[in-house]
């Protein structure tokens, strides 16, 4: 007579109640992502409706859908809408870049500036102002993006290229950042015009947003988003260490190269358009990880949605608290995000990589 072994009999019942756990978890995450999208829509509407100059909602609606050339219509259509669109794109770019950086370096405190992207953009902008006489934001965009791209490639090569690892990349990025910011400070001290023009850009702001700026940076951001989402699964393997990643079939060199390309496109374009807005790429992936767990396939979409919520929300706060002037969004994100990040760090259940 065939007798069922104890291990088989114990495994059968135990597996049954666990089977629906994963679909339920995916359903909860999907519902949370939809809720986050709803919050983002509300924040976008608030960004269009609320500004340094108070406008009735009827006038905001008229400016959006019945443009007639009045001052209110021009303010809504030509100022607030481009500002909101650019904030949406830049926020998503910074959040995705931060999440990819943390996975790439296996460092929970990593953010896009760790690879020298911000420093490269700033060095290129100050050079454009001081040596080439560039004065417009549309001119800054191309110089800043090229500078960010060159520095990212240099950091990758200095970090060992094919033999690059998280420690080498972080050290190379730190060294290059220190050297470039020394150059930026020297040029500003020697050229007062460069200091005056760069001062506003380095704070981080959406105030000068135009549809022309949006048109210049969106292809780079769109390509960066696509790359980041495509490497979500290999990044999951990379987070578990090089040996484990190889055992799982991940191509380490290709994954790191694509990850750095994604960070360069995302952060380079965002920095070029708005200046080096800090903290979003550091804090939002932490917050998202407490919601989704360590799976990059969920972390990346959540970060892309919640990061513009923070950026646009901070921009609205900056426009309201300093009326009739405004406080730059880079300052507000630091003031709002600092206490939140300290709270996250002190929590016992802080999400770990």
């Amino acid at each position: 007579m065939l007798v069922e072994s104890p291990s088989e009999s114990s495994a059968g019942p135990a597996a049954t109640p666990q089977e629906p756990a994963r679909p339920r978890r995916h359903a909860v995450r999907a519902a949370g992502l939809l809720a986050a999208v709803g919050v983002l829509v509300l924040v976008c509407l608030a960004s269009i409706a609320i500004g340094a100059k108070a406008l009735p909602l009827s006038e905001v609606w008229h400016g959006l859908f019945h443009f007639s050339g009045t001052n209110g219509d021009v303010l809504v259509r030509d100022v607030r809408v481009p500002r909101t669109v650019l904030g949406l794109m830049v926020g998503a770019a910074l959040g995705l870049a931060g999440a990819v950086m943390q996975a790439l370096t296996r460092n929970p405190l990593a953010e896009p500036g760790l690879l020298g992207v911000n420093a490269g953009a700033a060095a290129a902008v100050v050079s454009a102002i001081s040596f080439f006489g560039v004065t417009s934001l549309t001119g800054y965009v191309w110089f800043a993006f090229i500078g960010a791209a060159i520095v990212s490639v240099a950091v990758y090569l200095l970090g060992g290229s094919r033999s690059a690892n998280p420690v080498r990349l972080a050290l190379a990025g730190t060294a290059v950042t220190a050297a470039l910011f020394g150059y930026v400070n020297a040029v500003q001290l020697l050229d007062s015009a460069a200091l005056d023009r760069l001062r506003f850009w380095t704070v981080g702001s959406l105030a000068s947003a135009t549809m022309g700026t949006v048109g210049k940076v969106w292809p780079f951001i769109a390509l960066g988003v696509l790359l980041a989402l495509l490497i979500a699964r290999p990044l999951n393997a990379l987070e578990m260490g090089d040996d484990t990643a190889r055992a799982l079939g991940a191509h380490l060199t290709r994954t790191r190269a694509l990850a750095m390309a994604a960070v360069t496109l995302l952060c380079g374009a965002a920095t070029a358009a708005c200046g080096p807005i800090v903290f979003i790429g550091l804090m939002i992936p932490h917050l998202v990880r407490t919601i989704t767990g360590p799976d990059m396939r969920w972390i990346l979409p959540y970060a892309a949605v919640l990061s513009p919520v923070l950026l646009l929300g901070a921009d609205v706060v900056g426009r309201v608290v300093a009326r009739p002037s405004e406080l730059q969004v880079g300052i507000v994100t630091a003031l709002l995000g600092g206490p939140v990040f300290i709270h996250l760090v002190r929590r016992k259940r802080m999400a770990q990589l």
Side-chain angles (χ1 to χ4, degrees):
M1 182 172 69
L2 182 63
V3 179
E4 187 177 45
S5 67
S7 60
E8 291 172 341
S9 61
S10 60
T16 304
Q18 293 178 1
E19 289 175 358
R22 179 171 294 183
R24 280 202 303 267
R25 188 163 59 247
H26 287 331
V28 170
R29 288 171 175 171
L33 186 59
L34 287 176
V37 171
V39 173
L40 177 58
V41 170
L42 293 177
V43 173
C44 288
L45 294 176
S47 177
I48 295 173
I50 302 172
K53 180 180 179 180
L55 288 178
L57 289 179
S58 59
E59 197 166 341
V60 173
W61 179 269
H62 190 274
L64 283 174
F65 300 106
H66 307 285
F67 187 82
S68 59
T70 63
N71 289 338
D73 291 353
V74 171
L75 179 63
V76 171
R77 185 74 66 90
D78 294 344
V79 177
R80 292 187 184 176
V81 169
R83 186 169 184 158
T84 301
V85 174
L86 187 62
L88 180 66
M89 293 166 47
V90 167
L94 292 175
L96 282 171
V100 171
M101 273 296 303
Q102 291 177 14
L104 176 65
T105 62
R106 298 199 293 274
N107 181 357
L109 297 180
E111 52 93 22
L114 189 66
L115 286 184
V117 176
N118 289 346
V125 169
V126 77
S127 299
I129 293 172
S130 184
F131 302 127
F132 299 101
V134 178
T135 58
S136 66
L137 181 64
T138 54
Y140 297 165
V141 167
W142 293 108
F143 278 92
F145 181 78
I146 293 171
I150 292 174
V151 169
S152 294
V153 172
V155 167
Y156 184 66
L157 295 176
L158 290 173
S161 187
R162 290 183 176 274
S163 60
N165 59 49
V167 176
R168 287 183 178 181
L169 289 174
L171 290 175
T174 301
V176 171
T177 296
L180 287 177
F181 273 125
Y183 164 78
V184 169
N185 290 333
V187 173
Q188 290 185 42
L189 288 174
L190 296 174
D191 189 342
S192 58
L195 174 62
D196 290 339
R197 292 169 185 159
L198 193 65
R199 181 173 53 192
F200 184 77
W201 182 82
T202 54
V203 171
S205 173
L206 295 172
S208 299
T210 65
M211 292 310 294
T213 305
V214 171
K216 283 182 171 60
V217 301
W218 81 261
F220 301 109
I221 292 179
L223 182 56
V225 170
L226 180 61
L227 274 179
L229 295 177
L230 286 175
I231 61 174
R233 188 181 294 273
L235 285 176
N236 277 338
L238 201 63
E239 283 186 332
M240 293 185 284
D242 290 1
D243 293 337
T244 304
R246 289 192 189 96
L248 293 174
H251 194 294
L252 300 186
T253 301
R254 182 174 59 198
T255 300
R256 288 194 175 110
L258 290 176
M260 290 198 64
V263 170
T264 301
L265 289 166
L266 292 168
C267 194
T271 304
C274 302
I277 298 176
V278 298
F279 212 81
I280 291 178
L282 175 65
M283 186 184 71
I284 291 298
H286 267 300
L287 177 63
V288 167
R289 201 170 280 109
T290 63
I291 300 171
T292 65
D295 191 343
M296 293 297 294
R297 293 172 298 178
W298 286 101
I299 290 174
L300 293 177
Y302 265 88
V305 173
L306 291 179
S307 295
V309 169
L310 174 59
L311 182 62
L312 288 174
D315 190 45
V316 171
V317 170
R319 283 183 269 172
V320 172
V321 298
R323 281 177 174 172
S325 185
E326 66 178 69
L327 199 60
Q328 305 308 318
V329 68
I331 299 173
V332 180
T333 55
L335 292 176
L336 291 179
V340 175
F341 185 67
I342 292 172
H343 171 69
L344 289 174
V345 170
R346 292 177 59 88
R347 285 181 59 181
K348 291 182 179 180
R349 294 191 302 162
M350 178 74 180
Q352 301 292 330
L353 285 177

